[in-house]
Amino acid sequence: MTSVALLALLSHWRQHRFQLGALIVGLALATALWMAVQAINAEAKASYAKAEGFVQQLDQQNLVSANNTLTVADYVALKRSGWPLSPVLEGRLKVGGQWVDLIGLDLLTSPQIPAMSAPGAQAAEGELLISLLRPPGGLIMHPQTAAELSVSELGLTIHLSDTVPPGSGIGDISVVSRLLAKPDSLSRLIYLAQDPPDRNALEQLPNYIRFTSAQNAAIEPSALTESFHLNLTAFGFLSFVVGLFIVQGTIGLAMEQRRGLFRTLRCLGLPFRHLVVALVIEIAIIALVSGLIGLIIGYFLAVSLLPGVAATLSGLYGAEIENTLSLRPQWVVSGLAMTLLGAAIASSYGFFSLWHLPILQAPSTQARGQQVLRNFNGWALLGAGLLALGGLSLIFLGGLSGGFVFLGCIMLGSALLLPFCLWHILRAGQRLTRHPLGHWLWADARAQLPGLSLALMALMLALATNIGVGTMVSSFRLTFTGWLDQRLASELYVTARDDSQGAALEHWLEEKGLRVLPIRSQVLQQPMGQITIYGVRDDPTYRNNWPMLEVLPDAWDLLAKGKGILISEQLARRRNINLGETLPLPQGWPNTVLGIYSDYGNPHGQAIVSMPQLLRNAPEAENQRFGLRLDPDDIPTLIKEMREEFDLDRESVTDQDKIKEASKQIFDQTFRVTDSLKLLTLGVASFAMFTSLATLWSQRLPQLGPVWAIGVSRQTLAQFDILRSLVMAGLTALLALPLGLVLSWALLVVINTEAFGWRLPIHLFPLDWLWLIGLSLLAALLAAALPAWRLFRLHPSTLLKVFSSER
Amino acid sequence: MSVSRFLLCLSLLAPGSGFAQGFAGLGTEADGFAIPKPSYRLQFPADHGAHPDFRIEWWYLTANLEDENGESYGIQWTLFRSALAPGEAEGWQSPQIWMGHAGLTSPTEHFSAERLARGGIGQAGVTLGPFAAWIDDWQMTGAEDLSRLDLSASGDVFSYALKAQAESPLILQGDHGYSVKSPEGQASYYYSQPNYRMEGTLTLPSGPVTVHGNGWLDREWSSQPLSENQSGWDWFSLRFDSGDKLMGFVLRGANGADDFRSGTWISATGEVTPLAPGAFQATPLGQAEVAGRTVPVRWKVQLPEREVSVIVESLNPQSWMDVAFAYWEGPVTVSGSHRGTGYLEMTGYE
């Protein structure tokens, strides 16, 4: 019985293929975006977990030197007094123009690393170890890293393992110390025992060596990137909701159209329960098929978005993720579950009305208006409540989570308020119109509002997201570009091979009468994360150009006298330090904060002291990089001379423009993924509008019939339809604008500050808004075109039937 | 770090790990390492130090000890050197790898510990004038002629600190210190101090124990100690109540090859007589399940020319050195024609 009923139900789709298509596309799109985001998140998180797992094994507990001056002699002395330690030497090496992070371990004493336990043969493990230890030695790298680097330059055996984080190479400390030319220094000492050292042991440590455990280690990648993934998830969820709007409309239509069928089946004796079972099976089949299609689309979407995400993460947070996507069961299952759940939610209203369906009575559409208004009032009330809640969360919850709750509440609340606002605008329009046809037009628009409201809500959310994210990215870009101009004030940047060449180069350049600005720094490991301290010469270049956010009046003079320090915005925010306060640093460093400057795109803390102060505290700071001030016209000559004199390769000398260009490219690459997501959500919203209008089309015939009968041509009716659709979309876009601005404010001022540690000024881009409004009008036009065309071509008999047929 | 396979590859271990010969490209050939020559005469104190041109080397001290209540103990202190390539280099570039093993055995308990280090940075090594051998915080220091030594080592739950005083001169094993290890002519330089008077403190989980007893130091270095046809080694150092001492070893033949047996008789008066090949006989009498393998822990040892026919029995059959490359090493008691104590080392029981 149920199967016969199911077949009868399914026959509907044979007659309404377009409807079926819309349903499947809607569900598939919703699922695809959701899945793509899930896939990307899962991939990135797996990468972090791997990286953190790797780091954790080597990073649980360490001895570090407060000023990064750990030596091999320190290590040996500690070992000989019984400390269970294993040394680590880390550093960056430029290989064929690309940087790679090297991690050198003493493979004789280091904890087991996953890359070393070759699966299967133990002999292979032994052979690997021998090959890493025996001169010339080897490195283990992620296949991706090995493929990107010109590893042959190293003259080492390269072993591949995907357990090694991308962008790094692991090897024995003998190999790494040779590559980095650091025979005597160490980065840290892994503490190997389970129990932390006792007080006695700690007291015997030299005063510059500290014990740190994982609990107070620097911020981990996952903590930093959490917000980014929350962002992505929000995008995915938004698209999913928008997709559901499509589905809801389509399923509603299918229910509506099959009322006659339902009645017939019930009259034939099909129990209500069986009808419901048949409908559930039907929807489940459709949902599964759509889910699988969505899965495939989602996979390819994720594959195409992943490089952008990888670039974003590495650009903003310095977190490296793998560039390849693997099919992970968790997002496949979660995606399919979401499709089923979504279909269930979307069809719930259909079932609800089915339940209320009197077997023999035809539905009435006349009294809908009153009912709908009550609904809208309820929604608006809920929406207002959400807006209030959002405001409260910002005040009381605060932080990143407060920011996201605020965003969610504002978005959802505004969406819920939309139909109410539109309803009142349309009614106001109706009151202002005297012409009867105009009057009808407004009233008809209001009558359409219930069917269109979900699609319009989707459109508003998509538009607001576009405006919000667009404003954020554009503001960021504008600020970033300005900041680059300030920050890269030197005309030319030179990198020497080593310190002695650096010294020679500096001398040579100064003899030529050039202003040389050495770029020297020292990394300090601090309990709250690392700080890179730069030393600067007292030069107008810095005084005039450095991008200060807050500064004491005589900051540069005090800095030059060694009486203070300038710190980056991130550092100031992370440590909650204001001007004039002190930054906790090891003894000897100047620590009064004289100024705070912007340092976009740097996940770590940074600070500036005078050059003499840097050299006093860190005499061994590398002296290899220089900024040069000179007449831009002299650049080509100087580059030529320098290359001849010092045999510098092409990459060692870079002019300002090239660095700026590269930085901007990185920036644009970073936000490419947001661009894609913006367009995708807008596309899905447009499609939602289209299906809603297509759905309304058949429902509206009873209302159009009488108007046609009193003499309004089909052509005029069709034009009205398009006009109405444009008005609705236009109104929605206008209402989306303030929401978008609030969104961008929240992103720039709340989320950014919390997630990245920098606050950005808001710049407005009205032209972008115009473009977006135009785009939504175009979407409305396209969405209305087909129904209007069908109306225009409608046979008069169909309209006449309105009067005879009893639906 | 799973160093075990690596050590296997290096074939460095105790006097007797013949497994890995030819493995990982290391080969039975000396690969540029120096090779022991019969004509060389050992020179002291220089030869107490390290020989980085040879592939492997060890400073190996074992002692049979007793506390005030007559309870028996044994300790082992060993420093191995193994080279990835001949010679020495500065800092991390050094091809020398050092490994320390420490063991402490009582009739009911056995503890072992291990340390690894690289040469070149000072974490481990051997220096002369005065003599010092160390790895991390373990050390064996003393007089340049090894007549007096202070040694200490510790593991997670045990430690010991002992003094050793030599009561007779060093003795040279084999032919003036040139000790042949296979019929094919593999050999090592090998000398011993079999007669240390020991005293000091053992720290067990149950608390410190004051002990005294006798110690035996072996010094050996080579580049290719075993033949391809040898699978492991049973090594005995026995100290009889008569004052005579017997060092004997069996290099067990593999792939159908015969065992290679050799040894040295050291009389109570200090006369050293190398044993003729095959004269020393050792036959397993009883096995024990140790760390998942079957190991002979009761032996019959015979040396007909000296009318020695004794039963050698482990103090603690579970004297398993649970280190990266594991082996059996522990104190033994001697009964039969002669009575006494000694040490037994067995490798290659898989």
Side-chain angles (χ1 to χ4, degrees):
Chain A
M1 184 82 181
T2 312
S3 57
V4 175
L6 183 62
L7 283 178
L9 287 173
L10 287 175
S11 70
H12 168 82
W13 301 111
R14 213 177 307 140
Q15 283 167 22
H16 298 86
R17 292 209 177 108
F18 171 77
Q19 215 175 58
L20 179 65
L23 183 57
I24 291 180
V25 170
L27 265 178
L29 272 184
T31 315
L33 269 176
W34 172 255
M35 277 195 180
V37 167
Q38 289 303 304
I40 290 171
N41 281 351
E43 195 59 46
K45 281 183 181 152
S47 278
Y48 304 145
K50 213 187 265 180
E52 272 178 24
F54 180 82
V55 171
Q56 249 165 24
Q57 263 172 328
L58 302 174
D59 222 17
Q60 275 298 335
Q61 298 180 312
N62 284 296
L63 291 186
V64 297
S65 151
N67 50 5
N68 254 21
T69 51
L70 213 51
T71 62
V72 175
D74 290 326
Y75 166 65
V76 171
L78 289 167
K79 279 296 259 192
R80 293 211 59 191
S81 59
W83 279 77
L85 302 171
S86 183
V88 182
L89 174 63
E90 290 160 321
R92 305 198 90 193
L93 182 71
K94 203 169 193 179
V95 184
Q98 258 190 305
W99 290 98
V100 58
D101 289 319
L102 293 182
I103 304 167
L105 305 170
D106 176 15
L107 294 179
L108 294 173
T109 54
S110 74
Q112 172 89 47
I113 53 173
M116 288 294 303
S117 41
Q122 291 169 326
E125 193 185 328
E127 231 162 322
L128 175 61
L129 194 49
I130 293 274
S131 139
L132 292 174
L133 279 174
R134 254 188 149 180
L139 286 174
I140 315 176
M141 284 181 180
H142 192 280
Q144 198 176 306
T145 317
E148 284 165 9
L149 292 177
S150 35
V151 284
S152 56
E153 233 172 73
L154 294 169
L156 301 170
T157 318
I158 302 295
H159 305 270
L160 304 180
S161 167
D162 60 5
T163 61
V164 176
S168 9
I170 298 169
D172 185 58
I173 194 161
S174 61
V175 176
V176 171
S177 69
R178 197 171 64 230
L179 290 174
L180 296 176
K182 287 185 172 173
D184 294 320
S185 43
L186 294 173
S187 306
R188 55 197 170 84
L189 306 173
I190 305 170
Y191 179 77
L192 297 170
Q194 290 286 322
D195 302 323
D198 58 29
R199 244 178 97 168
N200 217 353
L202 287 175
E203 276 169 9
Q204 283 165 7
L205 283 177
N207 58 11
Y208 55 92
I209 294 180
R210 279 188 303 113
F211 175 78
T212 63
S213 64
Q215 284 80 30
N216 56 13
I219 304 161
E220 287 164 2
S222 68
L224 271 176
T225 49
E226 194 64 30
S227 61
F228 178 79
H229 290 296
L230 206 55
N231 238 325
L232 269 187
T233 308
F235 252 122
F237 193 71
L238 179 66
S239 322
F240 187 76
V241 170
V242 169
L244 288 193
F245 290 160
I246 305 173
V247 176
Q248 210 266 354
T250 321
I251 291 181
L253 174 61
M255 291 279 192
E256 184 82 14
Q257 286 172 338
R258 286 189 289 183
R259 282 186 172 202
L261 177 66
F262 294 159
R263 264 204 312 273
T264 311
L265 285 169
R266 294 280 278 116
C267 289
L268 285 171
L270 181 75
F272 180 69
R273 204 159 43 83
H274 287 212
L275 180 62
V276 170
V277 168
L279 278 170
V280 166
I281 294 174
E282 177 199 65
I283 288 180
I285 292 172
I286 293 173
L288 275 178
V289 169
S290 318
L292 286 173
I293 296 174
L295 179 73
I296 296 165
I297 302 175
Y299 179 81
F300 286 106
L301 200 59
V303 166
S304 64
L305 290 181
L306 193 61
V309 173
T312 303
L313 288 168
S314 103
L316 287 180
Y317 305 98
E320 294 287 337
I321 64 169
E322 285 167 35
N323 231 332
T324 51
L325 191 72
S326 46
L327 209 66
R328 287 173 198 278
Q330 69 256 42
W331 57 263
V332 174
V333 170
S334 96
L336 284 179
M338 282 297 277
T339 320
L340 285 173
L341 184 73
I345 294 172
S347 57
S348 58
Y349 183 73
F351 279 106
F352 180 72
S353 54
L354 180 67
W355 184 44
H356 282 281
L357 173 73
I359 295 190
L360 294 174
Q361 199 188 322
S364 80
T365 48
Q366 283 76 10
R368 235 183 223 171
Q370 292 308 312
Q371 173 74 24
V372 158
L373 182 59
R374 258 210 312 282
N375 276 352
F376 285 173
N377 283 340
W379 286 8
L381 213 60
L382 188 63
L386 279 171
L387 291 188
L389 184 68
L392 289 178
S393 77
L394 205 55
I395 299 167
F396 294 108
L397 197 58
L400 199 56
S401 40
F404 275 108
V405 171
F406 173 76
L407 272 190
C409 287
I410 293 292
M411 297 280 279
L412 199 58
S414 308
L416 287 173
L417 274 168
L418 178 72
F420 176 84
C421 295
L422 285 176
W423 177 275
H424 283 280
I425 292 173
L426 291 173
R427 203 171 60 171
Q430 189 179 353
R431 279 185 187 152
L432 290 175
T433 314
R434 294 269 166 248
H435 193 274
L437 203 53
H439 207 75
W440 171 78
L441 200 57
W442 287 111
D444 186 49
R446 276 201 296 146
Q448 275 193 58
L449 198 53
L452 265 181
S453 58
L454 282 175
L456 291 175
M457 282 156 79
L459 181 66
M460 183 172 80
L461 289 183
L463 282 173
T465 312
N466 263 274
I467 294 170
V469 174
T471 305
M472 178 190 80
V473 174
S474 303
S475 296
F476 195 178
R477 195 172 198 284
L478 205 64
T479 314
F480 183 73
T481 315
W483 171 79
L484 273 182
D485 286 340
Q486 294 177 314
R487 190 76 183 253
L488 299 171
S490 295
E491 280 75 16
L492 202 59
Y493 292 85
V494 193
T495 308
R497 255 192 308 279
D498 50 39
D499 281 6
S500 61
Q501 192 190 43
L505 189 66
E506 190 179 355
H507 183 70
W508 184 81
L509 288 165
E510 272 169 354
E511 281 209 327
K512 288 183 99 46
L514 290 170
R515 264 157 70 202
V516 182
L517 305 173
I519 304 167
R520 305 179 69 166
S521 63
Q522 175 73 8
V523 178
L524 296 193
Q525 297 295 343
Q526 294 267 299
M528 288 178 71
Q530 69 175 51
I531 308 177
T532 309
I533 302 190
Y534 283 86
V536 297
R537 280 200 181 154
D538 190 12
D539 190 281
T541 307
Y542 299 112
R543 287 174 180 256
N544 300 337
N545 293 302
W546 203 254
M548 305 301 290
L549 296 171
E550 287 179 78
V551 65
L552 293 177
D554 47 355
W556 289 103
D557 291 329
L558 289 170
L559 187 83
K561 287 179 193 148
K563 296 227 169 101
I565 189 164
L566 304 173
I567 63 174
S568 72
E569 186 186 5
Q570 288 92 305
L571 192 58
R573 287 190 193 280
R574 212 171 289 157
R575 306 286 178 93
N576 199 14
I577 294 172
N578 296 314
L579 276 191
E581 296 179 354
T582 55
L583 175 74
L585 284 176
Q587 195 86 41
W589 289 95
N591 57 6
T592 308
V593 175
L594 304 172
I596 297 169
Y597 59 93
S598 53
D599 184 26
Y600 303 118
N602 186 352
H604 300 295
Q606 202 192 69
I608 291 174
V609 297
S610 68
M611 189 62 84
Q613 282 292 345
L614 177 81
L615 295 180
R616 199 166 65 82
N617 287 288
E620 71 285 5
E622 280 181 357
N623 189 25
Q624 297 171 9
R625 290 162 60 211
F626 305 95
L628 305 180
R629 299 306 310 263
L630 71 164
D631 189 329
D633 294 340
D634 297 341
I635 290 178
T637 330
L638 182 74
I639 292 180
K640 194 159 165 281
E641 285 177 13
M642 255 190 311
R643 287 212 178 112
E644 279 167 9
E645 186 77 23
F646 293 95
D647 187 29
L648 295 171
D649 59 31
R650 194 160 289 278
E651 279 143 10
S652 305
V653 188
T654 323
D655 63 38
Q656 195 195 69
D657 292 341
K658 264 189 216 149
I659 300 182
K660 277 186 193 164
E661 201 44 53
S663 307
K664 283 177 195 163
Q665 262 178 21
I666 292 172
F667 183 91
D668 289 341
Q669 177 69 25
T670 301
F671 285 103
R672 194 159 294 162
V673 63
T674 21
D675 279 351
S676 322
L677 283 174
K678 264 163 57 186
L679 278 178
L680 283 170
T681 39
L682 203 59
V684 173
S686 308
F687 190 74
M689 205 153 113
F690 171 70
T691 53
S692 300
L693 286 174
T695 306
L696 280 179
W697 144 257
S698 58
Q699 292 173 349
R700 272 169 37 74
L701 280 184
Q703 284 137 25
L704 289 178
V707 185
W708 170 76
I710 58 172
V712 182
S713 70
R714 283 167 299 162
Q715 189 183 355
T716 314
L717 282 176
Q719 284 166 353
F720 278 165
D721 255 19
I722 291 183
L723 183 66
R724 198 168 30 233
S725 159
L726 288 177
V727 167
M728 300 274 236
L731 284 175
T732 306
L734 285 179
L735 289 172
L737 191 58
L739 177 62
L741 290 180
V742 171
L743 189 64
S744 60
W745 173 83
L747 284 171
L748 282 168
V749 176
V750 184
I751 308 274
N752 250 326
T753 316
E754 292 293 335
F756 305 105
W758 58 71
R759 178 188 280 227
L760 295 164
I762 300 183
H763 297 277
L764 299 181
F765 301 88
L767 278 178
D768 286 3
W769 307 341
L770 277 182
W771 187 80
L772 268 179
I773 292 174
L775 209 61
S776 55
L777 289 180
L778 182 67
L781 183 68
L782 289 175
L786 186 69
W789 174 249
R790 281 169 76 187
L791 182 62
F792 176 57
R793 296 295 304 270
L794 196 67
H795 201 272
S797 65
T798 318
L799 281 167
L800 277 173
K801 271 188 215 154
V802 167
F803 297 98
S804 62
S805 89
E806 192 187 18
R807 284 205 322 138
Chain B
M1 166 96 265
S2 159
V3 191
S4 60
R5 311 305 145 197
F6 156 66
L7 294 177
L8 202 73
C9 301
L10 284 180
S11 78
L12 81 127
L13 229 278
S17 65
F19 308 96
Q21 300 289 335
F23 185 68
L26 286 175
T28 43
E29 292 306 313
D31 285 345
F33 287 100
I35 298 205
K37 295 184 188 73
S39 56
Y40 180 75
R41 291 292 170 264
L42 298 181
Q43 287 158 16
F44 301 116
D47 279 326
H48 296 321
H51 301 80
D53 290 337
F54 289 79
R55 196 200 296 275
I56 52 171
E57 181 161 21
W58 52 83
W59 293 254
Y60 211 118
L61 192 140
T62 54
N64 295 89
L65 303 166
E66 232 177 63
D67 67 8
E68 291 148 3
N69 306 321
E71 182 90 69
S72 298
Y73 298 91
I75 64 104
Q76 175 201 349
W77 191 105
T78 315
L79 184 64
F80 298 100
R81 181 189 61 77
S82 171
L84 293 163
E88 185 55 301
E90 286 228 336
W92 297 115
Q93 306 309 318
S94 164
Q96 303 291 334
I97 289 169
W98 296 82
M99 179 170 67
H101 284 179
L104 171 52
T105 315
S106 77
T108 52
E109 289 179 300
H110 177 86
F111 307 100
S112 57
E114 173 181 43
R115 295 293 168 89
L116 277 156
R118 196 178 314 239
I121 58 167
Q123 191 187 342
V126 176
T127 54
L128 300 172
F131 174 83
W134 77 93
I135 183 164
D136 293 356
D137 54 336
W138 300 3
Q139 48 193 7
M140 178 157 78
T141 56
E144 204 168 38
D145 60 357
L146 305 185
S147 61
R148 195 172 37 73
L149 292 174
D150 287 318
L151 61 147
S152 65
S154 56
D156 284 344
V157 292
F158 78 100
S159 66
Y160 57 74
L162 298 161
K163 285 182 184 305
Q165 180 72 50
E167 300 200 303
S168 60
L170 297 172
I171 61 120
L172 307 181
Q173 308 277 10
D175 175 14
H176 295 90
Y178 179 82
S179 169
V180 175
K181 292 289 193 290
S182 80
E184 292 92 39
Q186 263 91 357
S188 64
Y189 292 121
Y190 185 5
Y191 68 89
S192 306
Q193 170 49 270
N195 213 8
Y196 278 119
R197 186 159 43 76
M198 310 285 302
E199 56 180 38
T201 311
L202 311 180
T203 308
L204 294 145
S206 53
V209 187
T210 308
V211 291
H212 62 92
N214 298 292
W216 180 308
L217 172 76
D218 271 341
R219 279 278 294 119
E220 193 160 5
W221 64 100
S222 177
S223 292
Q224 21 132 236
L226 290 194
S227 140
E228 277 178 24
N229 294 326
Q230 294 172 332
S231 69
W233 143 296
D234 307 307
W235 175 90
F236 299 80
S237 62
L238 307 177
R239 196 182 292 106
F240 301 127
D241 290 347
S242 60
D244 299 323
K245 297 173 189 69
L246 171 63
M247 185 285 291
F249 57 84
V250 182
L251 292 164
R252 299 193 301 279
N255 312 325
D258 288 337
D259 292 353
F260 182 84
R261 289 171 286 160
S262 184
T264 306
W265 178 264
I266 306 152
S267 75
T269 55
E271 284 168 67
V272 179
T273 319
L275 303 179
F280 175 82
Q281 294 166 27
T283 320
L285 291 181
Q287 325 274 340
E289 284 293 314
V290 184
R293 326 139 200 249
T294 308
V295 180
V297 292
R298 193 158 179 270
W299 292 79
K300 185 175 187 82
V301 168
Q302 289 166 295
L303 182 61
E305 65 193 63
R306 304 277 173 181
E307 293 171 347
V308 172
S309 176
V310 293
I311 303 293
V312 172
E313 195 153 10
S314 59
L315 177 70
N316 179 347
Q318 303 297 323
S319 300
W320 189 251
M321 293 298 288
D322 186 20
V323 289
F325 180 82
Y327 56 99
W328 195 103
E329 169 121 21
V332 292
T333 54
V334 181
S335 57
S337 66
H338 294 64
R339 302 187 68 80
T341 57
Y343 244 80
L344 169 60
E345 176 181 276
M346 300 180 283
T347 68
Y349 289 94
E350 287 297 317

